Amino acid sequence: MVEGVVKDAETGQVMPFVTVRFQNSKIGTHTDTNGYYMLNTYYATDSLVFSFAGYLPRTVPVNKDQSQEINISLGILQTEFEDVIVKAPDEFPSTILHKKVIAHKEINNKEKLDSYEYEVYNKIQLDLNNIGDKFEERGMIKRLDLVMAYLDSTEGEKSFLPLLLSESVSDFYFKNDPKKKKEIVKATRISGVDNLEVSQFLGDMYLDVNVYDNYIILFGKSFVSPVADFARGFYRFYLDDSTFIDNKWCYKLRFIPKRDGDVTFQGEMWIHDTTYAVKQFKADISPWVNINYVQGLYLDHKFDMVAPEVWMLTNEKMIVDLKITRDTDIYGFYARRNSSRRDFVINKVRSEEYYKSSSTVEVLDSASNRSAEYWSKIRHEPLSAQEAGIDEMIDSLNQLRFFKFLKNFTYFASTGYWRVKKIEVGNAFSFMSVNPVEKFRMALALRTSNDFSHRIELGGKVAYGFGDERFKYGGRIRFNVSPKKRGMLETYYNYDIEQIGQSPTAAAVGSTFGTLLRTGPLDKLTFVEKAGMSLEKDVGKDFVLFGGFEWKEYTALGLANYVRVDPMTGLNDTISRIQTGELTGRIRWGKDEDFISGVFDRTSVGSRYPIFSVQGIFAFKDLFGSDYEYQKLELTMEHSTYIGVLGKIKYNLTGGYIFGSAAYPFLQVHAGNQSYWLMINAYNKMNFFEFISDKYVTAFIENHWEGLFFDRLPFNKWLRWRLVTTVKMAYGQIDDTKHEQNMLLPEFTKRFGDTPYVEVAAGIENIFNIGRVDVFWRLTHNEPGSKVTDLQNFGIRARYSINF
């Protein structure tokens, strides 16, 4: 705030109607009849300019972000003017305007505010598209008048059918310094198809897109914002038009990408002429962006000045066209999001206690039970006739056999289970397999579906090996003890063959894929009988606690046999089986970590911050039949983050220490891989049981470069390949004197010595939209006499994954 009085330098009299403005700005005022002026603004520059006809103008420095008083005097103008030459600017008007937008970014960004709050209404609709004329010609469809009435069409006259409508109304609160966010969902409802497995495609529909960020993250891609500090390196800007929008004079700034291959938008934005804030923003993605399944993405944002010099997003639209390919005849989806905000409260900070919450988003108990009258009052805009009656239409659509098949097939493709009313039959991924012990193996699994219960899940499996002529079986019960704040209680029993030292995310011994893609025999198998119980509970906003007990018995079936030296005779004794009982406790802290959640399972979509976990495992001799006494302590840090045009980086650091003594299967058996299937959490050129440690550190870093390199190549416009690079390291030690009294290490197990195990890889992902092939290079601990460049130290691994 700046205030003061302007006087005549000769007479000392006050001067009314003097123009007072900030230099290079349109923020200004006039002195009143007493010569007094006052300016209060976010948009201050470093100088004030005073001007009046017939007087010499004066420029006075200002201390920004301070309240101050500046009193001045103006002298009479007595100088003759020389010729004035008017020239075109050295820069395009569009460049000058864009520079001013960037200069005012921090001021116009809502993040500048001490606090803000508002009510937000979100509506998300999912439609079946790419239907075609044959859909309407189906006899069953013709007989369903409701479905025919709901068939809508886009501007291109292509029909689509609404499937799902989600609505919510929330109160959102934000506080700066320190940053705190809180959202209270007052009302929520979902109409339409139940159990449609598309939630992973809709997660980005809920993102808070801020055009003032340098990068806008959508569907796993870092789009360069047209308001990025460096946007002129990626876009060409054109000043096309000017007009009043909501009684505010604005300039239309159109933007197009400078070159092919960049992850950019194309569209337009309207800029307010005084504050240089974005008034409207309309854009769709550039046609060459290397993104799968998203054949179109349209954004429309509208901003309003909700308080003096405070701009906020008030209306937001997003439309996404999801199809396998642009010209496919296979059904796809339209996903639409409409969001509106109102009832803004600016810079009225609440107490610190108010922002404290056990979760970022709180859902009121009554939120899903609101009446129709309540919804009609609280909605920011009324529903259309189609939206209001979508449930009735879906009931008709569910009569179609092909539609039931579509839902079940989508679920089967992603889980391996086929729904049969309240039971699911599977698992397709482990129905048949081959290994040296069982020879040929067949397996069947059953579990209850969500139609059976949303609180409890019962599951079981049975398998038979034709080589060992032995049945294997297992069962599991999961119970959600606190649905509002996830608390998953699980109890299980398993009697089956396992490969110790295999990544937890790897395909099991009975996997069909594992059978087809092995690079070496499964000659180190173990028969495992185990039973356990665990509870995973979300606590507070960022913590996940895990506690459990597991009893297990191992029986060696191959080369990884169990041998111990008899202290009396000095001879080797073979141990038939070993047992342990372990108590496990784990604390996981992920600040602002988000999940995509189903009824029983959920997937972390990460956090902007590293995620830490500490785990302790405790086994006590003779307790629950344990043969050994040991304690394991492990600390892990993991993070996945976007790094702008350089893509996305994932890294993981783990350190552990094992106290006490145990048989080697209960120590840290570093995860190897003896298949062509690429294991993200294993060492792909390491064999099973090759390294065993009781103190260890591991590191992993993987960079997904997206299209940064390949998109510059002409052929990649059709192939859409992407580069990925990986580095993995492991180092550890083992105290033979502690552990070999219990069991000798296998002869094929190596020691790290002074050299860590290191492997690197470079690969191509997004082959045919789903495939990834990496070439791994083992740099250390190679066979004696071999060179690091020998062919045997290289290996090809492949996997598939569905990513945008």
Side-chain angles (χ1 to χ4, degrees), residues 78-82:
Q78 296 178 341
T79 304
E80 294 184 3
F81 288 105
E82 296 180 359

Side-chain angles (χ1 to χ4, degrees), residues 149 208 368 439 609 682 699:
D208 181 15
S368 58
K439 307 304 181 187
Y609 308 97

Side-chain angles (χ1 to χ4, degrees), residues 653-668:
L653 294 172
T654 300
Y657 196 99
I658 301 175
F659 304 87
S661 63
Y664 72 81
F666 301 139
L667 302 178
Q668 177 65 18

Side-chain angles (χ1 to χ4, degrees), residues 69-84:
E69 182 177 344
I70 299 177
N71 300 313
I72 72 156
S73 298
L74 297 181
I76 296 176
L77 178 65
Q78 296 178 341
T79 304
E80 294 184 3
F81 288 105
E82 296 180 359
D83 293 344
V84 175

Side-chain angles (χ1 to χ4, degrees), residues 483-494:
K484 187 173 181 180
K485 194 71 174 175
R486 178 185 169 91
M488 191 61 65
L489 179 66
E490 179 178 350
T491 181
Y492 58 89
Y493 174 80
N494 204 49

Side-chain angles (χ1 to χ4, degrees), residues 439-623:
K439 307 304 181 187
F440 180 71
R441 168 187 170 118
M442 296 189 70
L444 177 68
L446 297 174
R447 69 185 185 191
T448 56
S449 69
N450 293 344
D451 292 335
F452 174 80
S453 173
H454 281 205
R455 294 288 302 276
I456 189 169
E457 179 193 68
L458 310 177
K461 67 173 184 179
V462 62
Y464 184 76
F466 290 87
D468 62 355
E469 299 180 346
R470 194 173 182 181
F471 280 99
K472 292 86 183 174
Y473 42 85
R476 181 175 74 170
I477 300 174
R478 291 197 290 177
F479 178 63
N480 195 348
V481 297
S482 53
K484 187 173 181 180
K485 194 71 174 175
R486 178 185 169 91
M488 191 61 65
L489 179 66
E490 179 178 350
T491 181
Y492 58 89
Y493 174 80
N494 204 49
Y495 184 77
D496 206 345
I497 292 175
E498 294 185 12
Q499 174 63 66
I500 307 301
Q502 182 171 257
S503 167
T505 57
V509 171
S511 165
T512 306
F513 284 118
T515 296
L516 299 174
L517 300 173
R518 289 186 192 125
T519 59
L522 289 177
D523 53 8
K524 307 179 185 72
L525 296 174
T526 302
F527 204 104
V528 178
E529 182 180 8
K530 60 183 177 182
M533 178 178 290
S534 66
L535 174 65
E536 184 181 74
K537 185 75 176 73
D538 290 358
V539 178
K541 186 168 62 174
D542 301 321
F543 288 93
V544 179
L545 303 185
F546 176 89
F549 166 75
E550 182 176 76
W551 171 89
K552 50 193 173 187
E553 181 181 88
Y554 288 0
T555 303
L557 297 178
L559 298 179
N561 52 5
Y562 305 153
V563 177
R564 177 176 56 196
V565 177
D566 190 319
M568 302 295 294
T569 65
L571 300 176
N572 290 346
D573 286 344
T574 299
I575 306 171
S576 60
R577 62 191 63 186
I578 55 176
Q579 291 183 3
T580 189
E582 295 179 341
L583 293 170
T584 300
R586 182 170 61 246
I587 301 175
R588 175 186 172 92
W589 179 64
K591 179 175 172 56
D592 298 337
E593 183 179 15
D594 292 320
F595 294 89
I596 295 177
S597 299
V599 176
F600 295 98
D601 297 301
R602 66 179 180 180
T603 300
S604 172
V605 293
S607 166
R608 292 185 301 162
Y609 308 97
I611 297 171
F612 296 90
S613 64
V614 179
Q615 177 175 272
I617 298 177
F618 307 92
F620 301 96
K621 189 174 177 63
D622 299 326
L623 183 64

Side-chain angles (χ1 to χ4, degrees), residues 53-73:
Y55 285 77
L56 288 169
R58 283 191 62 182
T59 302
V60 180
V62 172
N63 296 320
K64 294 177 67 175
D65 299 323
Q66 293 182 15
S67 296
Q68 55 210 283
E69 182 177 344
I70 299 177
N71 300 313
I72 72 156
S73 298

